[in-house]
């Protein structure tokens, strides 16, 4: 059953409220099946407008005689398909689907009283029988372009639908490159060749001798559809990927295609929202966004695309393939039709306004030079944002006219707020100068805590007003020549030493500091200490950074945070692009993370510790991928573990006595390897953190068949306060935690009377190395080295 619901006012407590800007709801028609695309048709005899709605089981023809009360006048059943695409020529409707039965041809010449149809599924020369297609477009001459069919490798099939209306005639096949969508005008065909990640422009003047004129890669290399502006010199494209932009290209010179601008709806930026289709009417873009509704963009200045209207139909989350599928803006009445996959047909009245544009240049008040990456924000209810380019130029705007405060901010400069008056359809020029902040020099040396020897090649990081990073010279010395005054956290580390967080500094003059590092292989990935990344996967290569969480079916797939018991907030993750789950996971290949070499030849009992994250889900068959940890001494290789269990959390730290597995040398390395089997469709995400090798410092040798004793301390190294947590195998009768130094002197002791717990330690300690000792019923349960900076 197909039912109609007209939303005129909220008359009950269950009324649905939709988000909107310059678009008002005229009517809402619900269906009990999922919808796909939408198109429109106008009766040439009485000017009645119709909505043509792709439904899972057929085509719904809806009369808009009374737009506030849409009425279905015919439902044409067809093969079940989640995709139907619809176009018209004269009094005929042409519909394709991705399942079977070829091309549906509908005769509307006697509508609404008598509507007839048939399915056209011929043998096409030597190509075979037409069964299914993904998309179609009919140009101004009456040529119909079928895209993504079961023939010609998915390349275009061209039909004549004008010579004998209602009876298509096959004309020619275009080059056999799969096209997901197509647009044609002035004997040029614009093919969205999705799997090649490009829009391809062809000369189709001679349908039997089609010539490729130019191609253009699109930003996310998954080109879904394309459309021309009114003048025909700019093409707009969509990539059907989370967070992908709608992109404008100047094609006035096909030998020099130039990207003009990218549009992403700012209200949903970074949330994985996927653009679907873009259409152009009167130099407005009407864009259908899954989960973000229909959005109208003023493209009269294609180098500054500004959102001027929107209507959201879906409030079930951001990422994913839900919400609006199609948007049709070409009815003479000006109504816009939206089809929401699960929520039905929406008839909307847009208020087309031209954008209020704001442009200008930002320069340094002392040097007059342009400033890059200045953030420009109009303090307005409508989301907006811009950044200056290499020449200090910015372009922004909004739909709302009026007088607003505009803020300008850049790292290293005093923020500034200026007033600007904005008007629809007008450009306001606002040039601004910013005053630079005061800079000072910070110098110092990184040395070994053991003997005071300088450490060359150490990394030193300042985090505060700005982030600065340098590497020490052969004498372990470093210089930050110009640091903006302010408060900074200081980190230093080198491979073969512990990374430490030194005391924070408030830089108000030139300064000099010395940073001692404890000896040992210890990496919490706050700094880049030289790990190597390799592999052949298409996406999901190992990346060092603060992890960006992604979700799959309500579960974390990529971590949101690193482990909470090390310095900093960074780790290694497999792909860190954010957006929807699966956008930047490991796909179709292997990714390998290899440690720098370690000299363990003089160690007696080196213990390797690390924390892992592994998520494996989705796909058509049960997930079967692994995270493998390998140990090499430069000659031999052993596998320490293969993780197969998927989890949405960090695994407990794992520790290994390396001498039990392999001969110790001066060329020891550890590898973390994961992969996604080709065409399996699984989600594969992994992460590594808190890596260390210590001499016999057994904190929690995690052998699931043996002990579950755990002892942790963080942050480590520490400055003043640190945390201790423990977990014993059985309830203790008499147990204690003790902190001793290398001479055996006890600095702190506390009784432990529960199996599992946590303490906060604030002890006045000299800088140096200490030992946490967990004793239970007369036996040492765990020992942990901690370092006071």
């Amino acid at each position: 059953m197909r039912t109609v619901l007209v939303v005129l006012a909220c008359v009950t407590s269950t009324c649905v409220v939709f988000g909107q800007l310059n678009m008002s709801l005229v009517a809402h028609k619900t269906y009990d099946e999922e919808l796909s695309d939408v198109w429109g048709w106008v009766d040439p005899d009485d000017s009645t407008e119709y909505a043509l709605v792709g439904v899972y089981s057929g085509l719904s023809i809806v009369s808009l005689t009374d737009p506030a009360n849409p009425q279905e006048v015919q439902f044409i059943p067809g093969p079940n398909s989640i995709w139907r695409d619809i176009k018209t020529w004269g009094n005929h409707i042409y519909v394709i689907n991705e399942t079977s039965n070829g091309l549906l041809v509908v005769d509307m010449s006697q509508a609404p009283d008598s509507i007839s149809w048939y399915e056209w599924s011929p043998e096409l020369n030597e190509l075979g029988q037409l069964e299914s297609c993904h998309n179609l477009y009919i140009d101004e001459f009456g040529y119909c372009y079928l895209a993504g069919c079961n023939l010609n490798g998915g390349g275009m099939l061209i039909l004549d639908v004008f010579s004998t209306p209602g009876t298509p005639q096959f004309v020619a096949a275009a080059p056999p490159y799969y096209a997901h969508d197509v647009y044609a005008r002035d004997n040029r065909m614009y093919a969205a060749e999705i799997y090649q990640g490009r829009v391809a422009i062809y000369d189709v003047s001679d349908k039997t001798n089609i010539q490729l004129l130019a191609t253009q890669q699109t930003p996310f290399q998954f080109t879904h559809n394309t459309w021309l502006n009114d003048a025909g010199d700019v093409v707009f494209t969509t990539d059907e990927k989370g967070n992908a932009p709608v992109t404008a290209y100047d094609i006035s010179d096909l030998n020099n295609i130039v990207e003009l601008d990218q549009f992403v709806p700012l209200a949903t930026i970074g949330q994985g929202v996927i653009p679907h289709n873009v259409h152009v009417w009167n130099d407005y873009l009407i864009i259908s966004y899954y989960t973000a509704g229909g959005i109208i963009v003023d493209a009269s200045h294609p180098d500054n695309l500004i959102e001027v209207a929107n209507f959201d139909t879906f409030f079930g989350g951001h990422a994913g393939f839900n919400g609006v599928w199609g948007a049709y803006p070409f009815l003479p009445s000006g109504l816009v039709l939206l089809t929401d996959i699960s929520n039905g047909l929406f008839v909307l009245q847009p208020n087309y306004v031209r954008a209020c544009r704001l442009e200008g240049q930002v320069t340094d008040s002392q040097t007059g030079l342009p400033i890059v990456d200045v953030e420009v924000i109009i303090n307005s209810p409508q989301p907006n944002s811009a950044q200056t380019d290499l020449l200090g130029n910015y372009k922004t705007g909004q739909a709302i006219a009026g007088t607003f405060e505009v803020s300008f901010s850049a790292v290293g400069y005093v923020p500034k707020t200026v007033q600007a008056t904005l008007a629809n359809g007008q450009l306001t020029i606002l040039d601004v100068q910013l005053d630079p902040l005061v800079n000072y020099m910070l110098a110092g040396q990184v040395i070994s805590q053991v003997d005071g020897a300088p450490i060359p090649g150490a990394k030193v990081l300042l985090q505060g007003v700005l982030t600065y990073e340098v590497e020490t010279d052969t004498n372990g010395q470093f210089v930050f020549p110009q640091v903006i005054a302010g408060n900074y956290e200081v980190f230093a580390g080198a491979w073969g030493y512990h990374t430490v967080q030194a005391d924070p500094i408030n830089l108000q003059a030139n300064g000099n500091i010395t940073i001692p590092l404890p000896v040992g292989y210890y990496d919490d990935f706050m700094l880049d200490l030289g790990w190597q990344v390799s592999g052949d996967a298409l996406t999901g290569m190992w990346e060092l950074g603060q992890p960006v969480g992604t979700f799959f079916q309500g579960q974390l797939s990529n971590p949101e945070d690193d482990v909470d018991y090390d310095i900093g907030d960074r780790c290694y993750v497999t792909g860190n692009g954010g957006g929807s789950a699966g956008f930047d996971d490991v796909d179709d290949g292997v990714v390998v993370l290899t440690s720098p070499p370690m000299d363990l030849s003089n160690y007696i009992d080196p213990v390797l510790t690390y924390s892992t994250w592994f998520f494996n889900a989705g796909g058509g068959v049960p997930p079967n991928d692994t995270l493998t940890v390998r140990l090499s001494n430069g000659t031999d290789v052993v596998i320490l573990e293969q993780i197969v269990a998927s989890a949405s959390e960090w695994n407990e730290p794992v520790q290994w006595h390396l001498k039990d597995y392999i001969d110790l040398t001066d060329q020891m390395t550890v590898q973390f390897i994961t992969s996604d089997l080709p065409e399996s469709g699984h989600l594969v995400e992994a992460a590594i953190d808190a890596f260390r090798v210590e001499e016999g410092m057994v904190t929690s040798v995690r052998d699931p068949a043996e002990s579950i004793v755990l002892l942790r301390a963080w942050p480590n190294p520490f400055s003043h306060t640190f945390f201790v947590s423990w977990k014993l195998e059985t309830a203790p009768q008499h147990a204690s935690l003790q902190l001793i130094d290398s001479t055996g002197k006890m600095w702190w002791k506390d009784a432990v009377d529960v199996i599992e717990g946590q303490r906060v330690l604030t002890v006045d300690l000299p800088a140096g190395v200490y030992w946490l000792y967990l004793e239970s019923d007369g036996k040492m349960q765990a020992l942990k080295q901690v370092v006071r900076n």
Side-chain angles (χ1 to χ4, degrees), residues 83 85 96-100 102 130-137 145-158 174-182 189 191-195 224:
W83 177 280
D85 196 62
I96 54 85
N97 69 84
E98 282 199 320
T99 304
S100 61
L130 180 67
E131 296 177 356
S132 63
C133 297
H134 185 77
N135 204 286
L136 80 162
Y137 186 79
Y145 300 80
L146 302 180
C149 301
N150 64 297
L151 307 176
N152 194 35
M156 228 66 68
L157 304 174
I158 304 176
Y177 298 111
Y178 178 86
H180 201 70
D181 205 331
V182 59
M189 179 178 73
E193 295 177 352
I194 191 168
Y195 298 125
H224 180 268

Side-chain angles (χ1 to χ4, degrees), residues 149-340:
C149 301
N150 64 297
L151 307 176
N152 194 35
M156 228 66 68
L157 304 174
I158 304 176
L159 311 179
D160 172 352
V161 296
F162 61 90
S163 294
T164 54
T167 306
Q169 300 176 35
F170 178 67
V171 176
Y177 298 111
Y178 178 86
H180 201 70
D181 205 331
V182 59
Y183 179 86
R185 193 203 302 175
D186 295 331
N187 282 319
R188 284 187 177 177
M189 179 178 73
Y190 303 81
E193 295 177 352
I194 191 168
Y195 298 125
Q196 296 194 35
R198 69 184 193 181
V199 56
I201 304 173
Y202 295 89
D203 183 343
V204 292
S205 301
D206 182 352
K207 304 294 188 290
T208 63
N209 185 28
I210 296 173
Q211 299 294 315
L212 178 65
L213 299 177
T215 62
Q216 175 62 49
Q217 291 287 132
T218 52
F220 278 48
Q221 298 184 23
F222 203 69
T223 318
H224 180 268
N225 100 301
T226 180
W227 211 273
L228 276 184
N229 70 338
D230 297 338
D233 57 0
V234 176
V235 68
F236 301 94
T237 65
T238 59
D239 287 280
E240 196 179 23
K241 290 283 190 178
N243 299 320
V246 175
T247 310
Y249 296 98
D250 181 347
I251 57 169
S252 56
D253 180 0
L254 292 181
N255 294 315
N256 183 31
I257 297 177
V258 177
E259 180 181 308
L260 298 174
D261 198 11
Q262 294 185 5
F263 170 80
V264 176
L266 293 175
T268 62
I269 197 163
Q271 297 175 351
V273 169
I274 303 169
H276 194 209
N277 289 321
V278 58
H279 299 93
V280 184
W281 176 82
N282 195 25
D283 285 329
Y284 289 97
L285 309 185
I286 295 83
I287 311 165
S288 54
Y289 277 91
Y290 296 114
T291 71
I295 292 179
I296 297 178
V297 172
D298 180 4
S300 58
H301 295 262
D303 59 343
N304 189 11
L305 302 174
I306 303 297
E307 181 175 346
V308 294
N310 60 61
F311 192 97
D312 195 359
T313 66
F314 181 83
F315 293 96
H318 299 297
F321 296 95
N322 299 294
V324 169
W325 181 295
Y328 181 79
F330 303 118
L331 292 173
S333 64
L335 295 173
V336 170
L337 310 176
L338 300 182
T339 42
D340 183 293

Side-chain angles (χ1 to χ4, degrees), residues 21 112 179 199 361 372 447 482 491 520 555 572 603 611 616 651 732:
L21 168 69
V199 56
Q361 186 183 41
V372 183
I447 61 173
Q482 289 187 313
F491 302 89
Q555 293 183 308
Y572 263 103
Y603 278 60
S611 296
N616 193 202
N651 296 314

